[in-house]
Structures are given as C-alpha cells and as structure tokens.
Amino acid sequence: MKEQDMKFGTKAIHAGVQPDPTTGAIMTPIFQTSTYVQESPGVNKGFGYARGKNPTREALQANIAALENGKHCVAFSSGVAATDAVLKLLQPGDEVITGDDLYGGTYRLFTKIYEKFGIKFHFIDLTNAENVKQYINSNTKLIWAETPTNPTMQIIDIEAVSNIAKAHNIILVADNTFASPYLQNPLDLGATIVMHSVTKYLGGHSDVVMGALITNDDAIHEQLYFILNSSGANPGPMDSFLVLRGIKTLHLRMQRHCENGREIAHFLKNHPAIEKVYWPGFPEHPNHEIAKKQMRDFGGMISIVLKDKSIENTYRVASSFQVFSLAESLGGVESLINHPATMTHASIPKAEREKAGVVDNLLRLSVGVEHVDDLIADLKQALS
C-alpha cells in the first residue's frame, strides 16, 4: 500500500519506517555514531558526518513528512531552533507579519534576536485574514501563524491567509504544534511550511526536546537543510528514536486528549470560580466555524481565566493540583497546568500580554490521557 493511501493511524506506525535490512529489526535502530566510513574519498553510503545526516533521523523525517502530507521534513534540536531556521531564510530589511497571541519563545526570538538584525515584525490580529492586507508591502516576505494560538486558542483561517500570501509571493508558516497532524494539515490548506515543536504531541511523553519543519517546496527544503547542516541545531539519534516510538501512538493519544478535553471544557464552563474558558470546540468561540472546517476535532488544550483576579489566588490554584502537574510544556500523556504570565510567556511585556488576553489570572491546561473522572476531581478540589 502506498503511504498516501494509508489512513492516519497506519501512517503513524508505518510511514517512512522499514525493517532494518541487516537484522530485520522492526524498530528503526539507534545509529549512535558521529561519522561513517567511506569506501574512498567522497564515496559513501549516503552518510558522511552525523550533523548532516543520520539514518534514525532520516526515518523520523520521512515519518513526520507523511503525517503532514508533505514531501520533505527537516528535524531540529528544538522547536525554537526550527523557528530560527525559518528566519534565516530572510534578509535584513525584510518584514514579517505574525499574530498578537504568540508563544513567548517565538516572540522572544523575533524581538530580542532578529529585530536587531534589521528584520521588522508586525504583531497583528490574524483572526480576520483581511487584516493581513494592510501590512503587506514589497518588503513582506513571511507570515507566521499559530493556530490554535498559545494560550488563548485563537483560530486563524489558514486557507484564507494562504490565498493572500500566494497572491503576493509570501511564505506562510503555520505553527501546528497545538493541533498536531492528527487534527490539522496546514500544507493541504495552502501553507508553505508547517512547524512543530515535536517536544509536544508528536513526542508525547515529555522526554524529548525537538522541532520539525515540513514543506512541499523543493527549493525551500534545500535551503532549510543547508541551514541545519551549517548551523548545527540537529537532534540526536536517541531523541529521533524516542519520537518515532512516540508517534506510533499519536492517533490513540490524540483521540483521548480530545475526549478528555471536551468533557473538561464543559465542566469548567459551568464552574463558579471560572470567568472564561478558551476552547475552540464551543460554538461561541471566535472562529469556531473555521476550526470545524480545518480541524478534525478540538484538542486537549484549554485556557481558563479565574474570577478572582488576585495573583495570590492564581498561585494558590496553580499549586493545589494533585494529578495535574505545574510545569511548562504541553502535549504529553500527563496533564499539566501552566501559568503563562510567569512561565511560557514571561518574556512578553505585561502590557503586550494583556492586550492579547494573557492576564495574570489566566491558567493554561494541557489535558492528558488519564481517566477523565480523576482529572475533573482534581480540578474540583484545586478550584474550591
């Protein structure tokens, strides 16, 4: 069966992966080597030095590309390293349009590193694709869109933004971390590049830090691979192996993340201590219809705003969980609670954070795959 004809769960287990030709091992071996013996100068078996290529990583890249219906994938040592590689496609004087609700590490990279190299960033409301048009000029080279966004779950219409980007020959990057390929495939909707923090749902077990870029554009893939090999932000073979193993259960995990997320979102919506719940599955969620169109379900990421605005109460709630763990990151099998203002989004100035709704009394939940009754019981006691 051709990979493109496989259903998602079959792809997750089999795409890009072949039994080891020397031993028949069904799992891709961990090629823990830094270099490869050459038959004669410049003549090798396709591998010269492990920064450039590693067989375990090659299998992983083929697997992730298949999940996103893409031709090419380049894996990096972190999601931020992958983002960094995209920005290295640009030149001083270029401009980037991006959202006003953005992962703090992305914001920090844009403003603290690349602004000083002469790249200009426009942080705008991307929930209406038409807003993009007024910021486009001859220097605009890139649109960077998260959807759903971190942490207020804004939904960006990938197809509509893509149509605008294509009309002006602009690269559109979709950060698909919150949705995962199980829920959403931005390349099918017109994105040029898909970015994943592989650390999250793809790895799924809170034991790997990695990033990935997927594209159908041969020239862009060649540039990104050159950047990886030249800059050296490559993941190791053990990490590649762990992600390959994690992806084999991605469809099973995501199904439970979605089921648990749905129950918990509805529980929180009616809780007296909660002022607001951000979850794209609610009909009243902004751009809910877009989410229904471009996503297969609504995921396990939820943010809540507490009615009691005091920082003392927020800290008390965040520190009171027994099943949820207070920690950065998301997408693992275990449920996490996060306080963006002091954790993942601390690098964004308070005024900018609050404009996007990231207030001090907002908490972000990554709903895991535990039994939902235990998770709801934990929420009840922490919010009491």
Side-chain angles (χ1 to χ4, degrees):
M1 181 184 290
K2 294 180 180 178
E3 286 182 1
Q4 59 264 35
D5 297 327
M6 292 177 178
K7 302 296 185 184
F8 187 90
T10 310
K11 277 187 189 179
I13 294 169
H14 293 288
V17 179
Q18 302 295 331
D20 178 52
T22 59
T23 65
I26 196 165
M27 288 299 294
T28 304
I30 302 167
F31 287 88
Q32 195 71 51
T33 185
S34 61
T35 193
Y36 307 84
V37 175
Q38 304 192 20
E39 297 170 29
S40 63
V43 179
N44 57 48
K45 294 180 171 63
F47 301 92
Y49 184 62
R51 183 183 68 247
K53 283 188 177 181
N54 174 280
T56 315
R57 193 197 325 155
E58 292 288 298
L60 172 64
Q61 290 174 161
N63 183 252
I64 294 175
L67 296 183
E68 282 290 7
N69 302 325
K71 286 175 66 177
H72 309 289
C73 172
V74 183
F76 294 82
S77 56
S78 70
V80 170
T83 305
D84 179 74
V86 172
L87 293 180
K88 286 173 178 165
L89 298 172
L90 305 178
Q91 302 286 336
D94 288 348
E95 297 188 15
V96 177
I97 299 170
T98 189
D100 58 6
D101 182 37
L102 201 62
Y103 165 55
T106 305
Y107 180 91
R108 179 176 58 217
L109 183 69
F110 288 0
T111 59
K112 303 300 182 185
I113 304 296
Y114 279 95
E115 275 189 351
K116 69 183 180 184
F117 292 120
I119 295 173
K120 185 175 182 179
F121 296 89
H122 301 279
F123 298 92
I124 72 166
D125 177 4
L126 284 180
T127 58
N128 181 353
E130 291 298 307
N131 292 339
V132 172
K133 293 180 179 179
Q134 62 185 298
Y135 291 91
I136 291 176
N137 59 56
S138 60
N139 295 324
T140 309
K141 298 297 189 294
L142 181 73
I143 299 171
W144 184 279
E146 286 181 16
T147 183
T149 65
N150 184 359
T152 64
M153 313 300 157
Q154 290 179 12
I155 300 297
I156 285 79
D157 188 334
I158 298 171
E159 188 172 23
V161 176
S162 166
N163 290 337
I164 296 168
K166 286 177 179 175
H168 295 87
N169 197 29
I170 296 168
I171 293 171
L172 170 61
V173 183
D175 182 339
N176 201 25
T177 299
F178 268 30
S180 88
Y182 178 83
L183 296 180
Q184 182 172 269
N185 297 119
L187 294 180
D188 294 348
L189 299 167
T192 319
I193 301 171
V194 177
M195 196 286 287
H196 281 282
S197 175
V198 176
T199 311
K200 313 306 192 296
Y201 285 110
L202 290 176
H205 292 79
S206 305
D207 53 8
V208 173
V209 175
M210 191 185 293
L213 299 171
I214 306 96
T215 186
N216 284 318
D217 189 299
D218 296 340
I220 286 177
H221 169 251
E222 187 175 339
Q223 291 178 72
L224 291 172
Y225 175 73
F226 176 83
I227 290 166
L228 171 76
N229 192 36
S230 301
S231 300
N234 53 288
M238 182 67 192
D239 286 351
S240 299
F241 172 86
L242 287 170
V243 175
L244 270 172
R245 185 179 68 167
I247 285 174
K248 287 181 184 293
T249 59
L250 177 62
H251 56 303
L252 304 175
R253 291 185 284 107
M254 288 304 301
Q255 184 178 355
R256 179 58 66 86
H257 286 302
C258 291
E259 291 169 356
N260 285 356
R262 182 179 303 276
E263 281 202 51
I264 287 171
H266 282 89
F267 162 76
L268 292 168
K269 186 179 182 182
N270 299 311
H271 197 283
I274 305 297
E275 179 181 297
K276 187 169 189 178
V277 179
Y278 293 101
W279 182 66
F282 289 135
E284 65 272 21
H285 185 88
N287 278 358
H288 169 73
E289 291 302 317
I290 300 297
K292 279 176 61 177
K293 182 182 79 169
Q294 68 187 24
M295 298 173 70
R296 299 177 187 96
D297 207 331
F298 303 109
M301 296 303 301
I302 302 168
S303 289
I304 57 175
V305 178
L306 302 174
K307 281 185 180 174
D308 185 335
K309 293 179 170 56
S310 70
I311 198 70
E312 293 80 13
N313 179 67
T314 303
Y315 284 4
R316 180 195 64 77
V317 172
S319 304
S320 296
F321 289 90
Q322 297 168 0
V323 180
F324 282 82
S325 297
L326 178 62
E328 298 196 17
S329 200
L330 59 106
V333 292
E334 53 281 297
S335 294
L336 301 179
I337 190 91
N338 171 275
H339 183 235
T342 57
M343 297 167 75
T344 52
H345 290 64
S347 59
I348 302 176
K350 183 179 174 70
E352 295 299 313
R353 279 201 312 268
E354 293 192 341
K355 263 195 270 182
V358 188
V359 292
D360 286 348
N361 52 320
L362 181 143
L363 295 171
R364 191 192 74 190
L365 283 65
S366 174
V367 177
V369 301
E370 303 94 339
H371 197 290
V372 72
D373 291 350
D374 294 330
L375 296 177
I376 289 175
D378 196 31
L379 286 160
K380 283 180 180 176
Q381 66 83 23
L383 289 166
S384 63

